[in-house]
Amino acid sequence: MAYQIGFYMDSIRRRAEISLKDALQEVRKAGYEGVELAGLFGNSPEQVREWARAAELTIISAQVGIEDFLAEPGKTVLDYQEMGCAYITLPGLTEKWRKATNYRWLVK
């Protein structure tokens, strides 16, 4: 199995917040072929998909906040699938989910 190296977009969060479209182009110009998203920075999944395609970047994976994921898990999965994203990770647990009883429920 070949692994693809991607750029973690949170590394340039401030730039992506200003213009995710331009940030994706800059990542491609730096030589990367894939990215791991760290949110959509207020953009629609459709916009992000088109910007990534225009930049010739693959969206390899994405980090999604647990509260956002649990609010609409089905929609979240579909949105990221439509962008071509194969993997979603939950980067951390909020205080609410770090309680033992909630944590046990979450990992079932």
Side-chain angles (χ1 to χ4, degrees):
M1 171 192 233
Y3 291 97
Q4 187 176 13
I5 296 174
F7 184 84
Y8 180 40
M9 294 302 292
D10 201 44
S11 300
I12 56 169
R13 174 169 284 281
R14 288 186 184 149
R15 180 69 182 111
E17 288 173 339
I18 294 168
S19 174
L20 181 56
K21 178 182 179 181
D22 292 344
L24 291 168
Q25 288 288 339
E26 292 164 9
V27 166
R28 181 65 182 117
K29 286 178 186 173
Y32 290 91
E33 296 177 355
V35 294
E36 177 176 62
L37 296 176
L40 302 180
F41 302 99
N43 301 289
S44 73
E46 296 80 17
Q47 286 176 314
V48 176
R49 178 189 66 226
E50 292 308 315
W51 294 338
R53 284 182 182 166
E56 298 179 354
L57 286 169
T58 300
I59 299 173
I60 301 167
S61 59
Q63 291 193 6
V64 177
I66 189 167
E67 300 297 341
D68 293 335
F69 180 78
L70 291 176
E72 295 185 281
K75 181 181 181 322
T76 301
V77 169
L78 288 175
D79 284 347
Y80 282 91
Q81 279 180 336
E82 289 177 8
M83 287 187 279
C85 178
Y87 304 97
I88 293 175
T89 62
L90 303 176
L93 298 177
T94 60
E95 184 65 32
K96 171 185 172 181
W97 292 103
R98 286 192 293 260
K99 295 177 183 173
T101 54
N102 289 336
Y103 187 81
R104 287 188 191 104
W105 174 86
L106 182 65
V107 297
K108 285 185 179 179

